[in-house]
Amino acid sequence: MLVCALLSGCRSSTAEQQLRQQLAGITQALESRGVDAVMEPVSEDFIGNQGMDRAALQQLVTARMLLNRQIGATVGPIEVLMVDDRHATVTFPLLLTAGNRRWLPEAARTWQVVSGWRRDQDGHWRIHHAQWSPIR
Protein backbone atom coordinates (compact mmCIF):
# COMPACT_ATOMS: atom_id res chain seq x y z
CA MET A 1 0.00 0.00 0.00
CA LEU A 2 2.87 2.35 0.75
CA VAL A 3 4.29 1.83 -2.75
CA CYS A 4 0.89 2.53 -4.30
CA ALA A 5 0.49 5.69 -2.25
CA LEU A 6 3.85 6.96 -3.49
CA LEU A 7 3.00 6.38 -7.14
CA SER A 8 1.14 9.29 -8.70
CA GLY A 9 -1.00 6.96 -10.79
CA CYS A 10 -2.59 5.50 -7.67
CA ARG A 11 -3.71 8.81 -6.19
CA SER A 12 -6.85 10.60 -7.13
CA SER A 13 -6.21 13.94 -8.79
CA THR A 14 -6.32 17.09 -6.71
CA ALA A 15 -8.99 19.72 -7.18
CA GLU A 16 -6.44 21.97 -8.91
CA GLN A 17 -5.52 19.19 -11.34
CA GLN A 18 -9.20 18.56 -12.05
CA LEU A 19 -9.77 22.25 -12.80
CA ARG A 20 -6.77 22.35 -15.11
CA GLN A 21 -8.05 19.25 -16.91
CA GLN A 22 -11.51 20.82 -17.28
CA LEU A 23 -9.93 23.92 -18.82
CA ALA A 24 -7.85 21.80 -21.19
CA GLY A 25 -11.02 19.95 -22.21
CA ILE A 26 -12.83 23.20 -22.97
CA THR A 27 -9.89 24.42 -25.04
CA GLN A 28 -9.77 21.15 -26.97
CA ALA A 29 -13.54 21.28 -27.54
CA LEU A 30 -13.29 24.82 -28.91
CA GLU A 31 -10.63 23.77 -31.39
CA SER A 32 -12.57 20.68 -32.45
CA ARG A 33 -15.76 22.75 -32.74
CA GLY A 34 -17.72 20.78 -30.14
CA VAL A 35 -20.30 23.21 -28.77
CA ASP A 36 -21.83 20.61 -26.43
CA ALA A 37 -18.41 19.72 -25.01
CA VAL A 38 -17.58 23.42 -24.51
CA MET A 39 -20.84 23.95 -22.64
CA GLU A 40 -20.77 20.73 -20.57
CA PRO A 41 -18.92 22.23 -17.56
CA VAL A 42 -20.94 25.47 -17.63
CA SER A 43 -23.52 25.53 -14.82
CA GLU A 44 -27.18 26.21 -15.48
CA ASP A 45 -26.98 29.40 -13.39
CA PHE A 46 -23.91 30.75 -15.23
CA ILE A 47 -23.40 34.53 -15.30
CA GLY A 48 -20.86 36.15 -17.62
CA ASN A 49 -20.02 39.60 -18.88
CA GLN A 50 -22.91 42.07 -18.73
CA GLY A 51 -25.21 39.46 -17.22
CA MET A 52 -24.77 36.91 -20.03
CA ASP A 53 -26.51 33.67 -19.09
CA ARG A 54 -25.74 30.12 -20.19
CA ALA A 55 -28.03 30.25 -23.23
CA ALA A 56 -26.44 33.47 -24.47
CA LEU A 57 -22.96 32.01 -24.00
CA GLN A 58 -23.96 28.95 -26.01
CA GLN A 59 -25.31 31.20 -28.77
CA LEU A 60 -22.03 33.18 -28.78
CA VAL A 61 -19.92 30.02 -29.04
CA THR A 62 -22.17 28.61 -31.78
CA ALA A 63 -22.08 31.86 -33.77
CA ARG A 64 -18.28 32.03 -33.62
CA MET A 65 -18.04 28.46 -34.82
CA LEU A 66 -20.41 29.16 -37.71
CA LEU A 67 -18.42 32.24 -38.73
CA ASN A 68 -15.02 30.56 -38.60
CA ARG A 69 -13.95 27.18 -39.92
CA GLN A 70 -10.93 27.11 -37.64
CA ILE A 71 -10.70 28.25 -34.06
CA GLY A 72 -7.53 28.16 -32.02
CA ALA A 73 -7.42 28.49 -28.25
CA THR A 74 -4.19 28.81 -26.29
CA VAL A 75 -4.29 29.17 -22.52
CA GLY A 76 -1.43 30.99 -20.82
CA PRO A 77 -0.30 30.50 -17.23
CA ILE A 78 -3.19 29.32 -15.07
CA GLU A 79 -3.63 30.53 -11.51
CA VAL A 80 -5.93 28.45 -9.32
CA LEU A 81 -7.10 29.85 -5.99
CA MET A 82 -8.96 27.31 -3.91
CA VAL A 83 -11.53 29.16 -1.79
CA ASP A 84 -12.56 25.96 -0.02
CA ASP A 85 -13.04 22.33 -1.09
CA ARG A 86 -16.08 23.24 -3.25
CA HIS A 87 -15.19 26.67 -4.70
CA ALA A 88 -12.27 27.96 -6.74
CA THR A 89 -11.24 30.95 -8.83
CA VAL A 90 -9.28 30.20 -11.99
CA THR A 91 -7.52 33.08 -13.77
CA PHE A 92 -5.65 32.87 -17.08
CA PRO A 93 -4.89 34.67 -20.34
CA LEU A 94 -6.56 33.13 -23.40
CA LEU A 95 -5.41 33.66 -26.98
CA LEU A 96 -8.23 33.00 -29.45
CA THR A 97 -7.55 32.82 -33.18
CA ALA A 98 -10.03 32.33 -35.98
CA GLY A 99 -10.06 31.90 -39.72
CA ASN A 100 -11.41 30.05 -42.69
CA ARG A 101 -8.76 27.42 -43.46
CA ARG A 102 -5.95 29.69 -44.53
CA TRP A 103 -2.38 29.20 -43.40
CA LEU A 104 -2.47 32.14 -40.98
CA PRO A 105 -5.40 33.06 -38.73
CA GLU A 106 -7.46 35.99 -39.96
CA ALA A 107 -8.24 37.22 -36.46
CA ALA A 108 -6.57 36.95 -33.08
CA ARG A 109 -7.18 38.46 -29.68
CA THR A 110 -5.92 37.79 -26.18
CA TRP A 111 -8.34 37.89 -23.25
CA GLN A 112 -7.82 37.91 -19.50
CA VAL A 113 -10.31 35.49 -17.98
CA VAL A 114 -11.37 35.25 -14.34
CA SER A 115 -13.69 32.32 -13.72
CA GLY A 116 -15.50 31.06 -10.65
CA TRP A 117 -15.92 27.31 -10.29
CA ARG A 118 -18.09 25.26 -7.95
CA ARG A 119 -18.04 21.52 -7.31
CA ASP A 120 -21.53 20.04 -7.78
CA GLN A 121 -23.15 17.24 -5.76
CA ASP A 122 -21.67 14.62 -8.08
CA GLY A 123 -18.15 15.98 -7.55
CA HIS A 124 -17.86 17.64 -10.98
CA TRP A 125 -16.45 21.14 -11.30
CA ARG A 126 -18.79 23.64 -13.04
CA ILE A 127 -18.16 27.22 -14.12
CA HIS A 128 -20.76 29.40 -12.46
CA HIS A 129 -19.40 32.80 -13.40
CA ALA A 130 -16.74 34.30 -15.65
CA GLN A 131 -15.49 37.71 -16.68
CA TRP A 132 -13.25 38.32 -19.68
CA SER A 133 -11.64 41.45 -21.00
CA PRO A 134 -9.27 42.06 -23.89
CA ILE A 135 -5.57 42.40 -23.15
CA ARG A 136 -4.08 45.25 -25.12
Side-chain angles (χ1 to χ4, degrees):
M1 286 174 55
L2 179 61
V3 173
C4 187
L6 294 174
L7 297 174
S8 63
C10 295
R11 290 183 287 187
S12 62
S13 61
T14 66
E16 183 173 340
Q17 290 170 328
Q18 292 169 1
L19 289 161
R20 289 175 183 273
Q21 290 170 352
Q22 283 276 49
L23 194 53
I26 293 169
T27 302
Q28 191 172 40
L30 274 170
E31 291 182 340
S32 64
R33 305 173 58 78
V35 176
D36 290 341
V38 169
M39 297 303 298
E40 193 274 326
V42 179
S43 70
E44 292 297 323
D45 62 344
F46 173 83
I47 299 291
N49 285 12
Q50 300 172 345
M52 176 183 289
D53 65 4
R54 187 179 196 282
L57 178 63
Q58 185 166 358
Q59 290 172 352
L60 176 65
V61 171
T62 301
R64 291 295 168 200
M65 288 184 184
L66 289 172
L67 290 171
N68 299 286
R69 287 181 161 174
Q70 288 184 312
I71 295 176
T74 304
V75 175
I78 301 168
E79 293 180 35
V80 177
L81 173 63
M82 296 302 301
V83 177
D84 57 34
D85 65 335
R86 295 194 62 232
H87 299 88
T89 301
V90 181
T91 305
F92 55 92
L94 174 65
L95 170 64
L96 291 175
T97 59
N100 287 306
R101 302 244 185 234
R102 292 189 174 80
W103 188 64
L104 294 173
E106 296 165 342
R109 177 166 260 176
T110 304
W111 301 88
Q112 183 64 32
V113 180
V114 178
S115 57
W117 294 71
R118 175 176 58 217
R119 192 186 314 247
D120 67 15
Q121 293 174 341
D122 296 328
H124 299 107
W125 286 99
R126 305 279 181 221
I127 305 167
H128 66 94
H129 68 82
Q131 295 294 310
W132 53 92
S133 57
I135 298 174
R136 305 216 185 263

